[in-house]
């Protein structure tokens, strides 16, 4: 199978670094370049390449690309898409920011839920980390819910990116837990939009580096017990090796540096109408970089790796 060539815009970020590491070890996808304006000229770890400063108008110099990953802050993607279109390049653009997650012209890349849409896709928007975790926990039971799910989320501070800000400031985070965007967080809108029903989401950032944990309270329209609830998930994910389902409560430590998500801790009260589930994943991997690679593998038809 021919190796597909991938460019990364935003290669010095936390997600960019994970993408580079995955591509260095990938049998069918090869890093062609990674851009960073602040790190231009510096070696890219694990490769013979150096970071280069690429601007949108330069993209026409890379007609050999099969895929372009945009790992930039929100609001930056459109100019790259426009430049690719203007250059007439036939490649798959995968955007890791939120810029196209509500755009019906783009495929929303959550492979355990909509894998068939990803085959041959040319424009993919990668879900947010909390949005990935919440949807993995809610899709299998969305027809059983009465009212909005209530999602309490805690993220390691890498979720706030490498560019300094109060949510990744070690001094501010020390011995602390910071609630933020408690109404109308972009992931609340994203989850509700994809799921087709409202959810309530309260994000927090903590002093550990990577990983997220979501505790989700649910109300059911008909009574169910814990075992039946767990069975629903086991059945739903039986053909998806990256999603594991456990009776016990999953913890962040079990998924960091791993492309997997764990769903567990299925508790339902005596009425059978109120339950809780927990989901954990690595925000930089299943919540960003490894999911991006899953999506590109499906879009470019490179065959499935251990990450799919
Ligand atoms: N961190 C996570 O857990 C996570 C999870 C899911 C999705 N995402 C999304 O993935 C994207 C990248 O996240 P990240 O955490 O890797 O961010 P980051 O660590 O802050 O990296 C941002 C990258 O974008 C480049 N950049 C270009 N224009 C920029 C600008 N105007 N301001 C700041 N940086 C700019 C930076 O490099 P140069 O400045 O050197 O060019 C850097 O390579 C974001 O859209 C984020 O929302 C992040």
């Amino acid at each position: 199978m021919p190796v597909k060539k991938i460019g990364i815009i935003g290669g010095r970020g936390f997600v960019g670094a994970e993408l580079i590491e995955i591509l260095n070890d990938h049998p069918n996808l090869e890093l062609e370049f990674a851009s960073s304006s602040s790190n231009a000229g510096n070696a890219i770890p694990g490769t013979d390449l150096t970071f280069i400063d690429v601007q949108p108008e330069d993209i026409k110099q890379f007609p050999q690309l099969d895929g372009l990953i945009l790992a930039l802050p929100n609001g930056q993607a459109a100019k790259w898409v426009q430049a690719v279109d203007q250059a007439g390049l036939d490649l798959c653009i995968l955007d890791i920011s939120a810029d196209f997650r509500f755009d019906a012209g783009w495929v929303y890349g959550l492979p355990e839920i909509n894998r068939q849409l990803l085959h041959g896709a040319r424009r993919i928007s990668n879900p947010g980390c909390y949005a990935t975790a919440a949807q993995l926990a809610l899709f299998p039971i969305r027809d059983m819910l009465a009212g909005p799910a209530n999602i309490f989320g805690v993220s390691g501070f890498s979720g706030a990116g490498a560019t300094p800000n109060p949510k990744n400031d070690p001094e501010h985070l020390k011995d602390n837990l910071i609630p933020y965007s408690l109404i109308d967080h972009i992931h609340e809108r994203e989850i509700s939009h994809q799921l087709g029903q409202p959810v309530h989401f309260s994000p927090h950032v903590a002093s550990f580096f990577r990983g997220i944990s979501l505790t989700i309270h649910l109300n059911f329209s008909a009574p169910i017990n814990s075992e039946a609830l767990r069975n629903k998930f086991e059945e739903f994910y039986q053909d998806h090796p990256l999603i594991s389902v456990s009776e016990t409560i999953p913890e962040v430590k079990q998924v960091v540096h791993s492309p997997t998500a764990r769903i567990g801790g299925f508790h339902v009260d005596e009425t059978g109408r109120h339950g809780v589930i927990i989901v954990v994943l690595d925000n930089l991997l299943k919540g960003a970089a490894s999911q991006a690679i899953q999506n590109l593998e499906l879009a470019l038809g490179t065959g499935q790796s251990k990450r799919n």
Side-chain angles (χ1 to χ4, degrees), residues 19-279:
L19 287 165
I20 290 167
E21 199 176 320
I22 296 171
L23 291 177
N24 286 348
D25 189 32
H26 200 287
N28 309 112
L29 298 175
E30 182 178 270
L31 181 66
E32 186 71 5
F33 72 80
S35 83
S36 163
S37 49
S38 59
N39 262 8
N42 292 342
I44 300 178
T47 75
D48 298 331
L49 305 172
T50 53
F51 286 106
I52 54 174
D53 186 5
V54 181
Q55 297 302 316
E57 59 274 18
D58 304 324
I59 202 68
K60 54 182 172 300
Q61 295 167 19
F62 301 96
Q64 70 277 30
L65 286 183
D66 298 292
L68 183 68
I69 303 178
L70 306 177
L72 298 168
N74 291 339
Q76 304 291 318
K79 61 190 177 199
W80 290 93
V81 178
Q82 197 182 5
V84 166
D85 287 343
Q86 272 170 4
L89 299 182
D90 177 26
L91 53 75
C92 178
I93 303 179
L94 181 139
D95 180 30
I96 297 195
S97 81
D99 291 359
F100 291 99
R101 292 185 197 150
F102 299 85
D103 188 322
W106 285 56
V107 176
Y108 185 76
L110 192 46
E112 284 76 18
I113 307 295
N114 63 351
R115 178 166 298 244
Q116 59 298 343
L117 297 181
L118 286 155
H119 296 294
R122 306 309 269 169
R123 299 288 181 268
I124 300 172
S125 110
N126 219 52
C129 54
Y130 277 128
T132 296
Q135 288 175 76
L136 290 173
L138 293 174
F139 254 98
I141 50 169
R142 66 176 170 161
D143 296 338
M144 297 160 45
L145 299 179
N150 211 317
I151 306 166
F152 178 89
V154 181
S155 171
F157 66 89
S158 62
T163 308
N165 66 71
K167 292 207 290 292
N168 60 17
D169 172 2
E171 270 307 301
H172 188 48
L173 281 163
K174 188 170 176 296
D175 302 327
N176 204 359
L177 180 70
I178 306 171
Y180 66 101
S181 303
L182 296 170
I183 296 284
D184 207 30
H185 187 285
I186 190 160
H187 289 185
E188 180 176 278
R189 279 184 272 136
E190 183 180 337
I191 301 160
S192 303
H193 177 74
Q194 295 297 333
L195 211 58
Q197 48 186 267
V199 299
H200 294 156
F201 174 47
S202 327
H204 299 69
V205 60
S207 59
F208 57 92
F209 179 65
R210 61 196 292 165
I212 56 175
S213 178
L214 280 63
T215 300
I216 307 182
H217 280 262
L218 309 157
N219 290 307
F220 300 111
S221 46
I224 189 167
N225 63 37
S226 303
E227 195 185 346
L229 183 61
R230 190 179 78 243
N231 288 343
K232 277 257 167 211
F233 283 82
E234 280 172 351
E235 206 174 296
F236 194 92
Y237 289 117
Q238 61 186 344
D239 298 325
H240 296 284
L242 295 184
I243 314 301
S244 66
V245 176
S246 66
E247 193 177 345
T248 52
I249 293 177
E251 296 181 7
V252 163
K253 266 189 176 180
Q254 297 168 321
V255 289
V256 288
H257 299 289
S258 148
T260 61
R262 280 180 176 244
I263 306 170
F266 301 92
H267 295 308
V268 177
D269 74 3
E270 280 171 9
T271 69
R273 299 265 186 182
H274 170 222
V276 186
I277 53 181
I278 318 287
V279 55

